[in-house]
Amino acid sequence: MRILFVSVEVAPFAKVGGLADVAGALPKALRRLGHDARVVMPLYRMIEDDPRWQLATTLDEFEVRMSSHWSKTATFRETELEGLPVGFIGTDEWYGASVNSETLYQPGGMQHLFFSQAVLTAMEQLDWIPDVIHCNDWHTGFVPCLMREKGGNTWDEVASIYTVHNLAYQGEFGFEVLDALDLPRSLFNSEKVEAWGRVNFLKTGCVYSDRVNTVSETYANEIQTPEFGCSLEGLMAHLDHQGRLAGILNGIDTDVWNPETDPDIPVHFSARNLAGKGECRKKLLEEVGLPEIAGAPVFGVVSRLSSQKGMDLMLKAAEAMFSLPVQLIVQGLGDPALAQAFTKLEARYPNNFRFVNRFDAPIAQRIYAGCDGFLMPSAFEPCGLGQMIAMRYGTVPVVRATGGLADTVFEGHNGFVFHHMEPMELLSAVERARFAYQRPDQWQKLMQKGMKTDLTWDNSAKLYTRLYEEARASRGILAAKTA
């Protein structure tokens, strides 16, 4: 099966969040199953300037006609990532020197409209029409729409899959979106692209795709409720009723996240030989300047600083946790108010707490490897990768039962779970973890359960293959009806 994976971020080329990890790993797993999977993403300047990638120019210049009054010249360049073909759409604006949450998600939406049309145009120019296009998050929501509204016979029988990685980010704009594409304003209705008076990219992707999925089974159920549906719970329930909504849990690249080979940790270890983990713990405490407290487990956090990630909840429970005692290391960037609160907390509890207020991937690796436990008290978590990485490194997760956290961490089996966003609930889960930590045999079993869990992309890739086949079957029926 020919599969084109479309994303605005792909690791290791450009990464803002977990989407990049998925886009870099899932297509490789699909290729291992024998599919001709390829990836296409924007050509950011940081990628052009990086000599590691050795980009080859496939299309020097081609015209991307957005509408009767708007067209742009683009380039298509390619490289390979461990046998995976990766294509890059370049143009003379939008894709700046570096990529972060501000440059990637800049307002206006026009760069994403251009990218969506350019992907289809490039595939036509290259004469490589896939069997399935797999689109991701709101930035690519108009790809399925353009396939159906403007694609003609070329795209009629090509199935489309749309993955919602986080429903909270939807891409909402005005009529100018439709006008820029010469799409009729009649599409601006509740059955098509409109939601709450705006053109909604994410809704558009869901409406026009043959199948929609989220990144965990629990999240697929949660987004059908007002609490998690972000004002689109009605649409999600409708998709589920139609049999078009599924949940497929993400995996992790276990070659990258591997305590036996990780170059950023001081000592390697495995589920068979855990001796090196104790040395990683010792070195981590030395690195962050945290004195060891006898009998106190060390918990780690690697996270964006936000209420969604439960950082405010953790602050409320921190003093009670320290009194148990436990120690805590938090690494992250985000909300300045939360950063300030964590800074003050460190000053008050210098023996219990360290705050690493910067992005530093090697230190993150050492936190995963060197801590005893890992906290993820998220208000919502579509999938979550942190708990999977932590388990891979023998670090026992304590999580709230939401989204992918509920699908991967199980009380007393490979971690500890609480249910309500209350400080005392988090504290109780940490207390249970500390109780187990003081019983080495019990704790080692928890560590090894996590380390031996199959967290690879292989099972997920098989489920995606089934979803692609369902979408292709549905598209064949739809194409026959409209012929």
Side-chain angles (χ1 to χ4, degrees), residues 56-62 74-78 88-89 118 121-126:
T57 299
T58 310
L59 295 174
D60 190 23
E61 287 189 353
F62 65 100
T75 61
F76 189 88
R77 303 179 73 181
E78 287 185 288
F88 302 88
I89 301 286
T121 303
M123 294 304 106
E124 293 171 5
Q125 292 277 323
L126 294 167

Side-chain angles (χ1 to χ4, degrees), residues 426-439:
L426 171 58
L427 177 63
S428 177
V430 171
E431 282 186 301
R432 296 195 302 276
R434 178 178 174 273
F435 182 82
Y437 176 76
Q438 294 176 329
R439 287 149 182 81

Side-chain angles (χ1 to χ4, degrees), residues 17-244:
L19 167 58
D21 294 310
V22 176
L26 174 56
K28 288 190 286 186
L30 291 167
R31 289 188 73 86
R32 289 195 294 270
L33 292 177
H35 300 297
D36 184 1
R38 306 184 184 190
V39 175
V40 65
M41 67 177 296
L43 179 58
Y44 303 108
R45 186 63 54 79
M46 61 185 283
I47 300 171
E48 274 193 292
D49 293 343
D50 193 327
R52 288 179 296 168
W53 307 131
Q54 299 180 358
L55 304 182
T57 299
T58 310
L59 295 174
D60 190 23
E61 287 189 353
F62 65 100
E63 183 182 25
V64 180
R65 180 156 292 281
M66 308 297 297
S67 67
S68 58
H69 56 278
W70 181 30
S71 66
K72 284 186 69 63
T73 298
T75 61
F76 189 88
R77 303 179 73 181
E78 287 185 288
T79 192
E80 280 198 0
L81 177 66
E82 298 174 28
L84 171 68
V86 182
F88 302 88
I89 301 286
T91 189
D92 57 357
E93 64 178 306
W94 298 314
Y95 306 143
S98 61
V99 178
N100 53 44
S101 57
E102 286 74 30
T103 59
L104 188 56
Y105 304 133
Q106 59 188 286
M110 291 303 167
Q111 73 274 27
H112 302 310
L113 294 180
F114 162 78
F115 177 61
S116 298
Q117 182 62 68
V119 167
L120 301 181
T121 303
M123 294 304 106
E124 293 171 5
Q125 292 277 323
L126 294 167
D127 196 24
W128 194 86
I129 305 301
D131 299 306
V132 178
I133 284 191
H134 186 156
C135 301
N136 294 272
D137 266 355
W138 72 264
H139 332 91
T140 61
F142 263 85
V143 173
C145 175
L146 289 168
M147 290 169 66
R148 305 303 169 220
E149 295 290 344
K150 296 179 68 176
N153 294 335
T154 302
W155 298 97
D156 272 351
E157 296 186 11
V158 177
S160 56
I161 300 291
Y162 188 71
T163 298
V164 177
H165 295 262
N166 191 335
L167 191 64
Y169 301 97
Q170 298 179 8
E172 299 165 281
F173 303 94
F175 274 126
E176 68 274 5
V177 169
L178 298 177
D179 295 341
L181 295 169
D182 271 355
L183 290 171
R185 288 195 173 190
S186 59
L187 297 180
F188 189 78
N189 64 74
S190 60
E191 300 290 318
K192 297 289 186 180
V193 307
E194 181 269 340
W196 305 102
R198 304 282 283 168
V199 173
N200 186 301
F201 276 50
L202 187 142
K203 177 180 178 177
T204 300
C206 290
V207 166
Y208 279 93
S209 291
D210 299 301
R211 289 291 185 274
V212 177
N213 79 287
T214 65
V215 289
S216 70
E217 291 185 33
T218 295
Y219 192 57
N221 293 323
E222 288 176 338
I223 61 175
Q224 298 178 52
T225 68
E227 182 180 0
F228 297 97
C230 302
S231 300
L232 292 182
E233 61 271 12
L235 170 63
M236 298 304 153
H238 179 64
L239 292 172
D240 188 51
H241 180 72
Q242 290 181 317
R244 292 172 56 209

